[in-house]
Coordinates of all heavy atoms in Angstrom, one line a residue:
M28 N 0.8 -1.2 0.0 CA 0.0 0.0 0.0 C 0.9 1.3 0.0 O 1.9 1.3 0.7 CB -0.9 0.0 1.2 CG -1.7 1.2 1.4 SD -2.9 1.2 2.8 CE -4.3 0.6 1.9
I29 N 0.5 2.2 -0.8 CA 1.3 3.5 -0.8 C 0.9 4.3 0.4 O -0.2 4.5 0.8 CB 0.8 4.3 -2.1 CG1 1.2 3.5 -3.3 CG2 1.5 5.6 -2.1 CD1 0.8 4.1 -4.6
N30 N 2.0 4.8 1.0 CA 1.9 5.8 2.2 C 1.6 7.1 1.7 O 2.6 7.8 1.1 CB 3.1 5.7 3.1 CG 3.1 6.7 4.2 OD1 2.0 7.2 4.5 ND2 4.2 7.0 4.8
T31 N 0.4 7.7 1.9 CA 0.1 9.0 1.4 C 0.1 10.0 2.6 O -0.2 11.2 2.3 CB -1.2 9.1 0.6 OG1 -2.2 8.6 1.5 CG2 -1.2 8.3 -0.6
Q32 N 0.5 9.6 3.7 CA 0.6 10.5 4.9 C 1.8 11.4 4.7 O 3.0 11.0 4.7 CB 0.6 9.8 6.2 CG 0.5 10.6 7.4 CD 0.4 9.8 8.7 OE1 0.6 8.5 8.6 NE2 0.2 10.5 9.8
K33 N 1.6 12.7 4.7 CA 2.6 13.7 4.5 C 3.3 13.9 5.9 O 2.8 13.7 6.9 CB 2.0 15.1 4.2 CG 1.4 15.1 2.8 CD 2.4 15.0 1.7 CE 3.0 16.4 1.7 NZ 4.3 16.5 1.2
S34 N 4.6 14.1 5.7 CA 5.5 14.5 6.9 C 6.3 15.7 6.6 O 6.6 16.0 5.5 CB 6.3 13.3 7.3 OG 7.4 13.2 6.3
P35 N 6.7 16.4 7.6 CA 7.5 17.6 7.4 C 8.8 17.2 6.7 O 9.3 18.0 5.9 CB 7.8 18.1 8.8 CG 6.7 17.6 9.6 CD 6.2 16.3 9.0
L36 N 9.3 16.0 7.0 CA 10.5 15.6 6.3 C 10.3 15.4 4.8 O 11.2 15.7 4.1 CB 11.0 14.2 6.9 CG 12.4 13.6 6.4 CD1 13.5 14.7 6.6 CD2 12.7 12.4 7.1
S37 N 9.2 14.9 4.4 CA 8.9 14.8 3.0 C 9.0 16.2 2.3 O 9.6 16.3 1.3 CB 7.5 14.2 2.8 OG 7.5 12.9 3.2
D38 N 8.3 17.1 2.9 CA 8.3 18.5 2.4 C 9.8 19.1 2.4 O 10.2 19.7 1.4 CB 7.4 19.4 3.1 CG 6.0 19.1 2.9 OD1 5.6 18.5 1.9 OD2 5.2 19.5 3.8
E39 N 10.5 18.9 3.4 CA 11.8 19.4 3.5 C 12.7 18.8 2.4 O 13.4 19.5 1.7 CB 12.4 19.1 4.9 CG 13.8 19.6 5.1 CD 14.4 19.3 6.5 OE1 13.6 19.1 7.4 OE2 15.6 19.3 6.6
I40 N 12.6 17.5 2.3 CA 13.4 16.8 1.2 C 13.0 17.4 -0.2 O 13.8 17.6 -1.0 CB 13.2 15.3 1.3 CG1 14.0 14.8 2.5 CG2 13.6 14.6 -0.1 CD1 13.7 13.3 2.8
T41 N 11.7 17.5 -0.4 CA 11.2 17.9 -1.7 C 11.7 19.3 -2.0 O 12.2 19.6 -3.1 CB 9.7 17.9 -1.8 OG1 9.3 16.5 -1.4 CG2 9.1 18.2 -3.1
F42 N 11.7 20.2 -1.0 CA 12.2 21.6 -1.4 C 13.7 21.6 -1.5 O 14.2 22.5 -2.2 CB 11.5 22.6 -0.4 CG 10.1 22.8 -0.7 CD1 9.1 22.2 0.0 CD2 9.8 23.6 -1.8 CE1 7.8 22.5 -0.3 CE2 8.4 23.8 -2.2 CZ 7.4 23.3 -1.4
L43 N 14.4 20.7 -0.8 CA 15.8 20.6 -1.1 C 16.1 20.2 -2.5 O 17.0 20.7 -3.2 CB 16.5 19.6 -0.1 CG 16.7 20.0 1.3 CD1 17.1 18.9 2.2 CD2 17.7 21.2 1.4
V44 N 15.3 19.3 -3.0 CA 15.4 18.8 -4.4 C 15.0 20.0 -5.4 O 15.8 20.3 -6.4 CB 14.5 17.6 -4.7 CG1 14.5 17.3 -6.2 CG2 15.0 16.4 -3.9
V45 N 14.1 20.7 -5.1 CA 13.7 21.9 -5.9 C 14.9 22.9 -5.9 O 15.3 23.4 -7.0 CB 12.4 22.7 -5.4 CG1 12.3 24.0 -6.1 CG2 11.2 21.7 -5.6
G46 N 15.5 23.2 -4.8 CA 16.6 24.1 -4.7 C 17.8 23.5 -5.5 O 18.6 24.2 -6.2
F47 N 18.0 22.2 -5.3 CA 19.2 21.6 -6.0 C 19.0 21.7 -7.6 O 19.9 22.0 -8.3 CB 19.1 20.1 -5.7 CG 20.3 19.3 -6.2 CD1 21.5 19.3 -5.7 CD2 20.1 18.4 -7.3 CE1 22.6 18.5 -6.2 CE2 21.0 17.6 -7.9 CZ 22.3 17.7 -7.3
I48 N 17.8 21.5 -8.1 CA 17.5 21.6 -9.5 C 17.7 23.1 -10.0 O 18.4 23.4 -11.0 CB 16.1 21.1 -9.9 CG1 16.1 19.6 -9.6 CG2 15.8 21.5 -11.3 CD1 14.7 19.0 -9.7
A49 N 17.1 24.0 -9.2 CA 17.1 25.5 -9.5 C 18.6 26.0 -9.5 O 18.9 26.9 -10.3 CB 16.2 26.2 -8.5
N50 N 19.4 25.4 -8.7 CA 20.8 25.9 -8.6 C 21.8 25.3 -9.6 O 23.0 25.7 -9.6 CB 21.3 25.7 -7.2 CG 20.7 26.7 -6.2 OD1 20.5 27.8 -6.5 ND2 20.4 26.2 -5.1
D51 N 21.3 24.5 -10.4 CA 22.1 23.9 -11.6 C 21.5 24.2 -12.9 O 20.4 23.8 -13.3 CB 22.2 22.4 -11.3 CG 23.0 21.6 -12.4 OD1 22.9 21.9 -13.6 OD2 23.8 20.8 -11.9
E52 N 22.1 25.2 -13.6 CA 21.6 25.7 -14.9 C 21.2 24.6 -15.9 O 20.1 24.6 -16.5 CB 22.5 26.7 -15.5 CG 22.6 28.0 -14.8 CD 23.5 29.0 -15.6 OE1 23.5 28.9 -16.8 OE2 24.1 29.9 -14.9
E53 N 22.1 23.6 -16.0 CA 21.8 22.5 -17.0 C 20.6 21.6 -16.5 O 19.7 21.3 -17.3 CB 23.0 21.7 -17.2 CG 23.0 20.7 -18.2 CD 24.2 19.9 -18.4 OE1 25.3 20.5 -18.3 OE2 24.1 18.6 -18.7
L54 N 20.6 21.3 -15.2 CA 19.6 20.5 -14.6 C 18.2 21.2 -14.8 O 17.2 20.6 -15.1 CB 19.9 20.1 -13.2 CG 19.2 18.9 -12.6 CD1 19.3 17.7 -13.4 CD2 19.7 18.7 -11.2
L55 N 18.2 22.5 -14.4 CA 17.0 23.3 -14.5 C 16.5 23.3 -15.9 O 15.3 23.2 -16.2 CB 17.3 24.7 -14.0 CG 16.1 25.7 -14.0 CD1 14.9 25.1 -13.2 CD2 16.5 27.0 -13.5
A56 N 17.4 23.6 -16.9 CA 17.0 23.6 -18.3 C 16.4 22.3 -18.7 O 15.4 22.3 -19.4 CB 18.2 24.0 -19.2
D57 N 17.0 21.2 -18.3 CA 16.4 19.9 -18.6 C 15.1 19.7 -18.0 O 14.2 19.2 -18.6 CB 17.4 18.7 -18.1 CG 18.7 18.6 -18.8 OD1 18.7 19.2 -20.0 OD2 19.6 17.9 -18.4
F58 N 14.9 20.1 -16.7 CA 13.6 19.9 -16.1 C 12.6 20.8 -16.8 O 11.4 20.3 -17.1 CB 13.7 20.3 -14.6 CG 12.4 20.2 -13.9 CD1 11.9 19.0 -13.5 CD2 11.6 21.3 -13.7 CE1 10.7 18.8 -12.8 CE2 10.3 21.2 -13.1 CZ 9.9 20.0 -12.6
L59 N 12.9 22.0 -17.1 CA 11.9 22.9 -17.8 C 11.5 22.3 -19.2 O 10.4 22.3 -19.6 CB 12.4 24.3 -17.9 CG 12.6 25.0 -16.5 CD1 13.2 26.4 -16.8 CD2 11.3 25.2 -15.8
A60 N 12.5 21.9 -19.9 CA 12.3 21.3 -21.2 C 11.4 20.1 -21.2 O 10.5 19.9 -21.9 CB 13.6 21.0 -21.9
L61 N 11.7 19.2 -20.3 CA 11.0 18.0 -20.1 C 9.5 18.3 -19.7 O 8.6 17.6 -20.1 CB 11.7 17.0 -19.1 CG 11.0 15.7 -18.9 CD1 11.1 14.9 -20.2 CD2 11.7 14.9 -17.8
S62 N 9.4 19.2 -18.7 CA 8.0 19.5 -18.2 C 7.2 20.4 -19.1 O 6.0 20.4 -19.0 CB 8.2 20.1 -16.8 OG 8.7 21.4 -16.9
G63 N 7.9 21.1 -20.0 CA 7.2 22.1 -20.8 C 6.9 23.3 -20.0 O 6.0 24.2 -20.5
L64 N 7.4 23.6 -18.9 CA 7.1 24.7 -18.0 C 8.1 25.8 -18.2 O 9.2 25.6 -18.6 CB 7.1 24.3 -16.5 CG 6.1 23.3 -16.1 CD1 6.4 22.9 -14.6 CD2 4.7 23.8 -16.2
S65 N 7.7 27.1 -17.9 CA 8.5 28.2 -17.9 C 9.0 28.3 -16.4 O 8.4 27.6 -15.5 CB 7.8 29.5 -18.3 OG 6.9 29.8 -17.3
L66 N 10.0 29.0 -16.2 CA 10.5 29.3 -14.8 C 9.4 29.9 -13.9 O 9.2 29.5 -12.8 CB 11.7 30.2 -14.8 CG 12.4 30.4 -13.5 CD1 12.8 29.0 -12.9 CD2 13.6 31.3 -13.6
E67 N 8.5 30.7 -14.5 CA 7.4 31.3 -13.8 C 6.4 30.3 -13.5 O 5.9 30.3 -12.3 CB 6.8 32.5 -14.6 CG 5.8 33.3 -13.9 CD 6.5 34.1 -12.7 OE1 7.6 34.4 -12.8 OE2 5.8 34.3 -11.7
D68 N 6.2 29.4 -14.4 CA 5.2 28.3 -14.1 C 5.7 27.4 -13.0 O 4.9 27.0 -12.1 CB 5.0 27.3 -15.4 CG 4.4 28.0 -16.5 OD1 3.6 28.9 -16.4 OD2 4.7 27.6 -17.7
L69 N 7.0 27.0 -13.0 CA 7.6 26.3 -11.9 C 7.3 27.0 -10.6 O 6.9 26.3 -9.6 CB 9.0 26.1 -12.2 CG 9.8 25.2 -11.2 CD1 10.9 24.5 -11.9 CD2 10.4 26.0 -10.0
K70 N 7.6 28.2 -10.5 CA 7.5 29.0 -9.2 C 6.0 28.9 -8.8 O 5.6 28.8 -7.6 CB 7.9 30.4 -9.4 CG 9.4 30.6 -9.6 CD 9.7 32.0 -9.9 CE 11.2 32.2 -10.1 NZ 11.5 33.6 -10.5
N71 N 5.0 29.1 -9.8 CA 3.7 29.1 -9.4 C 3.1 27.8 -9.0 O 2.0 27.7 -8.4 CB 2.8 29.6 -10.6 CG 3.1 31.1 -10.9 OD1 3.4 31.8 -10.0 ND2 3.0 31.5 -12.1
R72 N 3.8 26.7 -9.3 CA 3.3 25.4 -9.0 C 3.9 24.7 -7.8 O 3.6 23.5 -7.5 CB 3.4 24.4 -10.2 CG 2.6 25.0 -11.4 CD 2.5 24.1 -12.5 NE 1.7 22.9 -12.1 CZ 1.6 21.7 -12.9 NH1 2.3 21.7 -14.0 NH2 1.0 20.7 -12.4
L73 N 4.7 25.4 -7.0 CA 5.5 24.8 -6.0 C 4.6 24.3 -4.8 O 5.1 23.7 -3.9 CB 6.5 25.8 -5.4 CG 7.7 25.9 -6.5 CD1 8.7 27.0 -5.8 CD2 8.4 24.5 -6.6
Q74 N 3.4 24.7 -4.8 CA 2.4 24.3 -3.7 C 1.5 23.2 -4.1 O 0.6 22.7 -3.4 CB 1.6 25.5 -3.2 CG 2.4 26.6 -2.6 CD 3.3 26.1 -1.4 OE1 2.8 25.4 -0.6 NE2 4.5 26.5 -1.4
E75 N 1.7 22.7 -5.4 CA 0.8 21.6 -5.9 C 1.4 20.3 -5.6 O 2.5 19.9 -6.1 CB 0.6 21.8 -7.4 CG -0.1 23.1 -7.8 CD -0.2 23.3 -9.3 OE1 -0.2 22.3 -10.0 OE2 -0.4 24.4 -9.7
P76 N 0.8 19.4 -4.8 CA 1.4 18.1 -4.5 C 1.6 17.3 -5.7 O 2.7 16.6 -5.7 CB 0.2 17.5 -3.6 CG -0.5 18.6 -3.0 CD -0.5 19.7 -4.1
D77 N 0.8 17.3 -6.8 CA 1.1 16.5 -8.0 C 2.4 16.9 -8.5 O 3.2 16.2 -9.1 CB 0.0 16.6 -9.0 CG -1.2 15.9 -8.6 OD1 -1.2 15.0 -7.8 OD2 -2.3 16.2 -9.2
F78 N 2.6 18.2 -8.6 CA 3.8 18.8 -9.3 C 5.0 18.4 -8.5 O 6.0 18.1 -9.0 CB 3.7 20.3 -9.4 CG 5.0 20.9 -9.9 CD1 5.3 20.8 -11.2 CD2 5.8 21.7 -9.0 CE1 6.5 21.4 -11.6 CE2 6.9 22.3 -9.5 CZ 7.3 22.1 -10.8
L79 N 4.9 18.5 -7.1 CA 6.0 18.2 -6.2 C 6.4 16.7 -6.4 O 7.6 16.3 -6.4 CB 5.8 18.6 -4.9 CG 5.6 20.0 -4.6 CD1 5.2 20.3 -3.2 CD2 6.8 20.8 -4.9
G80 N 5.5 15.9 -6.6 CA 5.8 14.5 -6.9 C 6.6 14.3 -8.2 O 7.5 13.5 -8.3
C81 N 6.1 15.2 -9.2 CA 6.9 15.1 -10.4 C 8.4 15.6 -10.3 O 9.3 15.0 -11.0 CB 6.2 15.9 -11.5 SG 4.6 15.3 -12.0
V82 N 8.6 16.5 -9.4 CA 10.0 17.0 -9.2 C 10.8 15.8 -8.6 O 12.0 15.6 -9.1 CB 9.9 18.2 -8.2 CG1 11.3 18.5 -7.7 CG2 9.3 19.4 -8.8
L83 N 10.2 15.1 -7.6 CA 10.9 13.9 -7.1 C 11.2 12.8 -8.1 O 12.2 12.2 -8.2 CB 10.3 13.4 -5.9 CG 10.2 14.4 -4.7 CD1 9.4 13.7 -3.5 CD2 11.6 14.7 -4.3
D84 N 10.2 12.6 -9.0 CA 10.3 11.6 -10.1 C 11.5 12.0 -11.0 O 12.3 11.1 -11.4 CB 9.1 11.6 -10.9 CG 7.9 10.9 -10.3 OD1 8.1 10.2 -9.4 OD2 6.8 11.1 -10.7
F85 N 11.6 13.3 -11.3 CA 12.7 13.8 -12.1 C 14.0 13.4 -11.5 O 14.9 12.9 -12.2 CB 12.6 15.3 -12.3 CG 13.6 16.0 -13.1 CD1 13.6 15.9 -14.5 CD2 14.7 16.6 -12.5 CE1 14.7 16.5 -15.3 CE2 15.7 17.2 -13.3 CZ 15.7 17.2 -14.6
L86 N 14.2 13.6 -10.3 CA 15.4 13.2 -9.6 C 15.7 11.7 -9.5 O 16.8 11.2 -9.9 CB 15.5 13.8 -8.1 CG 16.8 13.5 -7.4 CD1 18.0 14.3 -8.0 CD2 16.6 14.0 -5.9
L87 N 14.6 11.0 -9.2 CA 14.7 9.6 -9.0 C 15.1 8.9 -10.3 O 15.6 7.7 -10.4 CB 13.4 9.0 -8.4 CG 13.2 9.3 -7.0 CD1 11.8 9.0 -6.6 CD2 14.1 8.5 -6.1
E88 N 14.7 9.5 -11.5 CA 15.0 8.9 -12.8 C 16.4 9.2 -13.3 O 16.8 8.6 -14.3 CB 14.0 9.5 -13.8 CG 12.6 9.0 -13.6 CD 11.6 9.7 -14.5 OE1 11.9 10.6 -15.2 OE2 10.4 9.3 -14.4
R89 N 17.2 9.9 -12.5 CA 18.6 10.2 -12.9 C 19.5 9.8 -11.8 O 19.8 10.5 -10.9 CB 18.7 11.7 -13.1 CG 18.0 12.2 -14.4 CD 17.6 13.6 -14.3 NE 16.9 14.0 -15.6 CZ 15.7 13.6 -15.9 NH1 15.0 12.9 -15.1 NH2 15.2 14.0 -17.1
E90 N 20.0 8.6 -12.0 CA 20.8 7.9 -10.9 C 22.0 8.8 -10.5 O 22.3 9.0 -9.3 CB 21.2 6.5 -11.3 CG 21.9 5.8 -10.2 CD 22.2 4.3 -10.5 OE1 21.7 3.8 -11.6 OE2 22.8 3.7 -9.7
E91 N 22.7 9.3 -11.5 CA 24.0 10.1 -11.1 C 23.6 11.3 -10.4 O 24.2 11.7 -9.4 CB 24.7 10.4 -12.4 CG 26.0 11.1 -12.2 CD 26.8 11.4 -13.5 OE1 26.8 10.5 -14.4 OE2 27.4 12.4 -13.6
T92 N 22.5 12.0 -10.9 CA 22.1 13.2 -10.3 C 21.5 12.9 -8.8 O 21.8 13.6 -7.8 CB 21.1 13.9 -11.1 OG1 21.6 14.1 -12.4 CG2 20.6 15.3 -10.6
L93 N 20.8 11.8 -8.7 CA 20.3 11.4 -7.4 C 21.4 11.2 -6.5 O 21.4 11.6 -5.3 CB 19.4 10.1 -7.5 CG 18.9 9.5 -6.3 CD1 18.0 10.4 -5.5 CD2 18.3 8.2 -6.6
T94 N 22.5 10.5 -6.9 CA 23.6 10.3 -6.0 C 24.3 11.6 -5.6 O 24.7 11.7 -4.4 CB 24.6 9.3 -6.8 OG1 24.0 8.1 -7.1 CG2 25.8 9.0 -5.9
Q95 N 24.5 12.5 -6.5 CA 25.1 13.8 -6.2 C 24.2 14.5 -5.1 O 24.8 15.0 -4.2 CB 25.1 14.6 -7.5 CG 26.2 14.2 -8.4 CD 26.1 15.0 -9.8 OE1 25.1 15.6 -10.0 NE2 27.2 14.9 -10.6
F96 N 22.9 14.5 -5.3 CA 22.1 15.2 -4.4 C 22.2 14.6 -3.1 O 22.3 15.2 -2.0 CB 20.5 15.1 -4.9 CG 19.6 15.6 -3.9 CD1 19.4 17.0 -3.7 CD2 19.0 14.7 -3.0 CE1 18.5 17.4 -2.8 CE2 18.1 15.2 -2.0 CZ 17.9 16.6 -1.9
C97 N 22.1 13.2 -3.0 CA 22.1 12.5 -1.7 C 23.5 12.7 -1.0 O 23.4 12.9 0.3 CB 21.9 11.1 -1.9 SG 20.1 10.7 -2.3
E98 N 24.6 12.7 -1.7 CA 25.8 12.9 -1.1 C 25.9 14.4 -0.6 O 26.4 14.6 0.5 CB 27.0 12.7 -2.1 CG 27.1 11.2 -2.4 CD 28.2 10.9 -3.4 OE1 28.7 11.8 -4.1 OE2 28.4 9.7 -3.7
Q99 N 25.5 15.3 -1.4 CA 25.5 16.8 -1.0 C 24.7 17.0 0.3 O 25.1 17.8 1.2 CB 25.1 17.6 -2.1 CG 25.1 19.1 -1.8 CD 24.7 19.9 -3.0 OE1 24.9 19.6 -4.2 NE2 24.1 21.1 -2.8
H100 N 23.6 16.3 0.4 CA 22.6 16.7 1.5 C 22.6 15.6 2.6 O 21.9 15.7 3.5 CB 21.2 16.9 0.9 CG 21.1 18.1 0.2 ND1 21.0 19.4 0.7 CD2 21.1 18.3 -1.2 CE1 21.0 20.3 -0.3 NE2 21.0 19.6 -1.4
K101 N 23.5 14.6 2.4 CA 23.7 13.5 3.4 C 22.3 12.8 3.7 O 21.9 12.6 4.8 CB 24.3 14.0 4.7 CG 25.6 14.8 4.5 CD 26.7 14.3 5.3 CE 28.0 15.1 5.1 NZ 28.4 15.4 3.8
I102 N 21.6 12.5 2.6 CA 20.3 11.8 2.6 C 20.5 10.5 1.9 O 21.1 10.4 0.8 CB 19.3 12.7 1.9 CG1 19.1 14.0 2.7 CG2 17.9 12.0 1.8 CD1 18.2 15.0 2.0
H103 N 19.9 9.5 2.4 CA 19.9 8.2 1.7 C 18.9 8.2 0.5 O 17.8 8.8 0.7 CB 19.6 7.1 2.7 CG 19.9 5.7 2.2 ND1 19.1 5.0 1.4 CD2 21.1 5.0 2.4 CE1 19.7 3.9 1.1 NE2 20.9 3.8 1.7
P104 N 19.2 7.6 -0.6 CA 18.2 7.6 -1.7 C 16.9 7.0 -1.3 O 15.9 7.4 -1.8 CB 19.0 6.7 -2.7 CG 20.4 6.8 -2.4 CD 20.5 7.0 -0.9
T105 N 16.8 6.1 -0.4 CA 15.5 5.6 0.0 C 14.6 6.6 0.7 O 13.4 6.5 0.6 CB 15.6 4.3 0.9 OG1 16.3 4.6 2.1 CG2 16.2 3.1 0.1
D106 N 15.2 7.6 1.3 CA 14.5 8.7 1.8 C 13.8 9.5 0.8 O 12.7 10.0 1.0 CB 15.3 9.7 2.7 CG 15.8 8.9 4.0 OD1 15.2 8.0 4.4 OD2 16.9 9.2 4.4
I107 N 14.4 9.7 -0.4 CA 13.8 10.3 -1.6 C 12.5 9.5 -2.0 O 11.6 10.0 -2.3 CB 14.8 10.5 -2.7 CG1 16.1 11.1 -2.3 CG2 14.2 11.4 -3.9 CD1 16.0 12.5 -1.6
W108 N 12.8 8.2 -2.1 CA 11.7 7.3 -2.5 C 10.5 7.4 -1.5 O 9.4 7.5 -1.9 CB 12.2 5.9 -2.5 CG 11.2 4.9 -2.9 CD1 10.9 3.8 -2.0 CD2 10.5 4.7 -4.0 NE1 9.9 3.0 -2.7 CE2 9.6 3.6 -3.9 CE3 10.4 5.4 -5.2 CZ2 8.7 3.2 -4.8 CZ3 9.5 5.0 -6.2 CH2 8.7 3.9 -6.0
R109 N 10.8 7.4 -0.2 CA 9.8 7.5 0.8 C 9.0 8.9 0.7 O 7.8 8.9 0.8 CB 10.4 7.4 2.2 CG 10.8 6.0 2.6 CD 11.3 5.8 4.0 NE 11.8 4.5 4.2 CZ 13.2 4.3 4.4 NH1 14.0 5.3 4.4 NH2 13.6 3.1 4.6
A110 N 9.8 9.9 0.5 CA 9.1 11.2 0.3 C 8.2 11.2 -1.0 O 7.1 11.7 -0.9 CB 10.2 12.3 0.1
R111 N 8.7 10.5 -2.0 CA 7.9 10.5 -3.3 C 6.6 9.8 -3.0 O 5.5 10.2 -3.5 CB 8.7 9.8 -4.3 CG 7.9 9.6 -5.6 CD 7.4 10.9 -6.2 NE 6.5 10.7 -7.3 CZ 5.1 10.8 -7.3 NH1 4.5 11.0 -6.1 NH2 4.5 10.7 -8.4
K112 N 6.6 8.8 -2.2 CA 5.4 8.0 -1.9 C 4.3 8.8 -1.2 O 3.1 8.4 -1.2 CB 5.7 6.7 -1.2 CG 6.5 5.8 -2.0 CD 6.9 4.4 -1.4 CE 6.6 4.0 -0.1 NZ 7.0 2.8 0.3
T113 N 4.7 10.0 -0.6 CA 3.6 10.7 0.1 C 3.0 11.7 -0.9 O 2.0 12.4 -0.3 CB 4.3 11.6 1.2 OG1 5.2 12.6 0.7 CG2 5.1 10.6 2.2
Y114 N 3.3 11.8 -2.1 CA 2.7 12.7 -3.0 C 1.8 11.9 -4.0 O 2.1 10.7 -4.3 CB 3.8 13.5 -3.8 CG 4.5 14.5 -3.0 CD1 5.7 14.2 -2.5 CD2 3.9 15.7 -2.7 CE1 6.4 15.1 -1.7 CE2 4.5 16.6 -1.9 CZ 5.8 16.4 -1.4 OH 6.5 17.3 -0.6
P115 N 0.7 12.5 -4.5 CA -0.1 11.8 -5.4 C 0.6 11.7 -6.8 O 1.6 12.3 -7.0 CB -1.3 12.8 -5.5 CG -0.9 14.0 -5.1 CD 0.2 13.8 -4.1
G116 N -0.1 10.8 -7.6 CA 0.4 10.7 -9.0 C 1.4 9.5 -9.1 O 1.9 9.3 -10.3
M117 N 1.6 8.8 -8.1 CA 2.6 7.7 -8.2 C 1.9 6.4 -8.8 O 0.8 6.1 -8.5 CB 3.1 7.3 -6.8 CG 4.2 6.3 -6.8 SD 4.8 6.2 -5.2 CE 5.8 4.8 -5.3
N118 N 2.6 5.8 -9.7 CA 2.1 4.6 -10.4 C 2.0 3.5 -9.3 O 2.8 3.2 -8.6 CB 3.0 4.1 -11.5 CG 2.6 3.0 -12.3 OD1 1.9 2.1 -11.7 ND2 2.9 2.9 -13.5
I119 N 0.8 2.9 -9.3 CA 0.5 1.8 -8.3 C 1.5 0.7 -8.3 O 1.9 0.1 -7.3 CB -0.9 1.3 -8.4 CG1 -1.3 0.4 -7.2 CG2 -1.2 0.6 -9.7 CD1 -1.5 1.1 -5.9
W120 N 2.0 0.4 -9.5 CA 2.9 -0.7 -9.7 C 4.3 -0.4 -9.2 O 5.1 -1.2 -8.8 CB 3.1 -1.2 -11.1 CG 1.8 -1.6 -11.6 CD1 0.9 -1.0 -12.6 CD2 1.0 -2.8 -11.2 NE1 -0.2 -1.7 -12.8 CE2 -0.2 -2.8 -12.0 CE3 1.3 -3.8 -10.3 CZ2 -1.1 -3.8 -11.8 CZ3 0.3 -4.8 -10.2 CH2 -0.9 -4.8 -10.9
D121 N 4.6 0.9 -9.1 CA 5.9 1.4 -8.5 C 6.0 1.0 -7.1 O 7.1 1.1 -6.5 CB 6.1 2.9 -8.7 CG 6.4 3.2 -10.2 OD1 6.7 2.3 -11.0 OD2 6.3 4.3 -10.6
S122 N 4.9 0.8 -6.4 CA 4.9 0.6 -4.9 C 5.1 -0.8 -4.5 O 5.2 -1.1 -3.4 CB 3.7 1.3 -4.3 OG 2.5 0.5 -4.8
V123 N 5.0 -1.7 -5.5 CA 5.1 -3.1 -5.2 C 6.5 -3.5 -4.9 O 7.4 -3.1 -5.3 CB 4.6 -3.9 -6.4 CG1 4.6 -5.4 -6.1 CG2 3.1 -3.4 -6.7

């Protein structure tokens, strides 16, 4: 079963990921291109749980970037996965 109960740690991790992406020009450009969003759109959607789940998906799909993020913030990759599970939009098969 998917844990959809939010925790402050989930939000903290998610906003660290947003900052990590925003502070890397190439990564930010990739995210914006993939999502089809403008920088202004990104800023406007930071309170939308579905969008925040997509931000974590973006990181989780890039192993090297995920590793860099986790090393920089001293966070275990499974903590990113746990945070992702608290946001809507997750594929039910991904939780098995």
